[in-house]
Each structure stands twice: as C-alpha cells, then as structure tokens.
Amino acid sequence: MKDFAGTPGTFTGLVLRVSQCLFAAGSIASVVTAAGFFRYTAFCYLIASMGLQVFWSFALAWLDSYALVKKKIIHNPILVSLFVIGDWVTATLSLSAAASSAGIAVLFYRDLGVCHGDCLKYQMSISLAFMSWVTIKTSALIMLWILFTG
Amino acid sequence: MKDFAGTPGTFTGLVLRVSQCLFAAGSIASVVTAAGFFRYTAFCYLIASMGLQVFWSFALAWLDSYALVKKKIIHNPILVSLFVIGDWVTATLSLSAAASSAGIAVLFYRDLGVCHGDCLKYQMSISLAFMSWVTIKTSALIMLWILFTG
C-alpha cells in the first residue's frame, strides 16, 4: 500500500486527525454555551454528530501516534476498509449536521431578521463544523485512494 | 479501464443518470408549487442545487445514450476526471441543500409546531432531494473507483 502525506501512521495523517478532533470539539463547545440551543433539533443533531466525530478522530489520532512511536505500518486492507467506512459515515453526518444548522442560522439571521439567543456562537459552531467536515473529507478521500489502489 | 454496472456508457449508468434527473426535477416541482417557498433561503438554495443536478445528470444521460447507441467507449481518463469533479461537486451541493431544507422543515414541524404553507410539499421535495443525492453519490463513487484503478 502507498505511503504519502495524510495516510494512516504518518505525521500529516496525525495532524489531520487532531484537526478534525479540535474543530469538532470547538463546534460543540461553541453551541452548548449558546442559550436555548436544546430547543432546536438541528443543533442537538450537530452536537451528536460532532461528538461522534471527536470520538472517531481521537481514536484514529491515538492509533496514528502509536504507529509513529512504534514505527508500525497500519496499512492492513481490513483496517483501511474500516477507516474508509468510518470516515465516510462521519463525513456525511458532519456535512448534513453543519448544513441543517446553517439552514436554521440563515433563517433566523437573514430570512426572519431575528436572532434567538447567541447568534454569533451558533455561527462560530457551524463554521467549525464545516472546517471539521473539510478535514474529515480529506482523510476519507485519502483512505479511499489507498483502498482502491491497494 | 474497468467496465461494470454503473460505469459511463452502460445501461445501468444511464438508469442512474435518469433517476438523478427525475428525483431532482421532482424535488423542484414539489417545492415550487408550495406557497411562500421564496421567503426561505434554504428552499431557494434547494431549487438552485437541484436545478444544477438536473442539468448535469441530463447531459451525462445524453452522453450515456449516445455511447450506448453508437457503441462507443467513453472511459477516457480526461473525461472520467471531469465526471468525478462534476459528480462530487453536485453530490456535495445536493446533500447540503437537502440537509439545510430538512433543518427548516424539522424546525417548523417539530420544534415550533407550526407549518407555514404546504408542509407536505416541502417534505416530499426534501425526500426526493435525498434520493437524488443517494443516486449521484453512487455514480460519484463508481467514477472515483474507475479513476483510481485506471
């Protein structure tokens, strides 16, 4: 299997996983400190999705660190298939959660001209969720490439 | 390049493209007949995204039909790269548009308990948009596989 920037067990792969984790954790932190977020299903879905993202990315970051320290190769086809499934599921959930929350934010901010609770915190949370999606999508594409090219 | 179900120039490939077209056109038809859709940015974005989907899928359906009738092979690497980019862009836009509209629909229907205009039409439109996304995502994955495996 190929070994290039972003693949599992490389420093860039670890950086990608840590970024996903930090963006997702930032998104959760931003939305839970906003007043009344629990009244909106979309924001609760955002928290659930970003929570799953933190959990998944943290596990893979830990695995990358272990592979880096022990100088182990983790390009096993079964492991890579699992990474592909996990990455694609979390990427799809992250994008849909970020987009549905963005729909609500645009509705309040632009369409209705009202801002319930802490608008800026919602916007910050959504931006961080989109950044988390960009990094997980990058990982997902790299994983798919490794899987398809063997 | 590999030739299996769903690849460009095959009957299943054509069926996928026609399905994408029909689901996206159905989604637009459903939302534009609902009263007051233009007041919500998310629904306008859904129409724009589904419109692009119809245009893209119709062009590729036409190309598939041409390849089937003339028995031409259209697995040229440059063409496949273009298909990959187009499919991934339209798939991402479709999912984000469907999810942001779903966010609004859930807000009205469940969180606020109010249904502005034709709720059922909005729900039908969002369901069709998600079905369109499933079919375009399938095409996108097949294209990526063709590109990566050469």
Side-chain angles (χ1 to χ4, degrees):
Chain A
M1 289 207 169
K2 290 178 179 174
D3 190 15
F4 52 89
T7 54
T10 60
F11 180 71
T12 41
L14 177 64
V15 169
L16 265 176
R17 295 296 173 192
V18 172
S19 311
Q20 290 156 23
C21 233
L22 291 178
F23 287 140
S27 177
I28 294 172
S30 191
V31 81
V32 295
T33 54
F37 75 89
F38 48 83
R39 282 201 301 267
Y40 308 109
T41 307
F43 292 128
C44 296
Y45 173 45
L46 182 71
I47 292 170
S49 165
M50 288 296 113
L52 178 69
Q53 185 70 76
V54 169
F55 180 77
W56 173 255
S57 297
F58 182 79
L60 291 211
W62 183 87
L63 203 67
D64 278 345
S65 313
Y66 175 80
L68 271 172
V69 170
K70 296 274 179 184
K71 297 191 194 308
K72 291 227 178 200
I73 296 162
I74 49 170
H75 286 195
N76 177 305
I78 297 166
L79 262 184
V80 172
S81 305
L82 278 175
F83 295 163
V84 166
I85 295 167
D87 276 353
W88 282 91
V89 169
T90 52
T92 305
L93 291 177
S94 293
L95 177 61
S96 58
S100 59
S101 301
I104 307 280
V106 170
L107 177 83
F108 286 151
Y109 191 74
R110 192 175 144 171
D111 301 340
L112 302 179
V114 290
C115 257
H116 290 286
D118 307 87
C119 258
L120 198 68
K121 284 185 181 171
Y122 289 142
Q123 287 166 354
M124 174 75 82
S125 171
I126 293 161
S127 306
L128 287 167
F130 273 115
M131 284 158 84
S132 174
W133 168 70
V134 168
T135 48
I136 186 75
K137 188 79 180 177
T138 309
S139 285
L141 276 172
I142 290 169
M143 291 298 168
L144 206 65
W145 191 0
I146 297 173
L147 187 73
F148 284 169
T149 54
Chain B
M1 286 205 172
K2 289 180 180 173
D3 190 14
F4 52 88
T7 53
T10 60
F11 180 70
T12 41
L14 177 63
V15 169
L16 266 177
R17 294 297 173 189
V18 172
S19 310
Q20 290 156 24
C21 234
L22 291 178
F23 287 140
S27 176
I28 294 173
S30 192
V31 81
V32 294
T33 54
F37 74 89
F38 48 84
R39 283 200 300 267
Y40 308 110
T41 306
F43 292 128
C44 296
Y45 173 44
L46 182 71
I47 293 171
S49 165
M50 289 295 115
L52 179 68
Q53 186 68 77
V54 168
F55 179 77
W56 173 254
S57 297
F58 182 78
L60 290 211
W62 184 87
L63 204 67
D64 278 347
S65 312
Y66 175 81
L68 272 172
V69 171
K70 297 274 181 183
K71 298 189 192 310
K72 291 225 179 200
I73 297 162
I74 49 172
H75 285 196
N76 177 305
I78 297 167
L79 262 183
V80 172
S81 305
L82 278 175
F83 295 162
V84 166
I85 296 167
D87 276 353
W88 282 91
V89 169
T90 52
T92 305
L93 291 178
S94 292
L95 177 61
S96 58
S100 60
S101 301
I104 306 282
V106 170
L107 178 83
F108 286 151
Y109 190 74
R110 192 174 146 172
D111 301 340
L112 303 179
V114 290
C115 258
H116 289 286
D118 307 87
C119 257
L120 198 68
K121 284 183 180 171
Y122 289 143
Q123 287 167 353
M124 174 75 81
S125 171
I126 293 160
S127 306
L128 287 167
F130 272 115
M131 284 157 84
S132 174
W133 168 71
V134 168
T135 48
I136 187 76
K137 189 79 181 178
T138 309
S139 285
L141 276 172
I142 290 169
M143 292 297 167
L144 206 65
W145 191 0
I146 297 173
L147 188 73
F148 284 169
T149 54

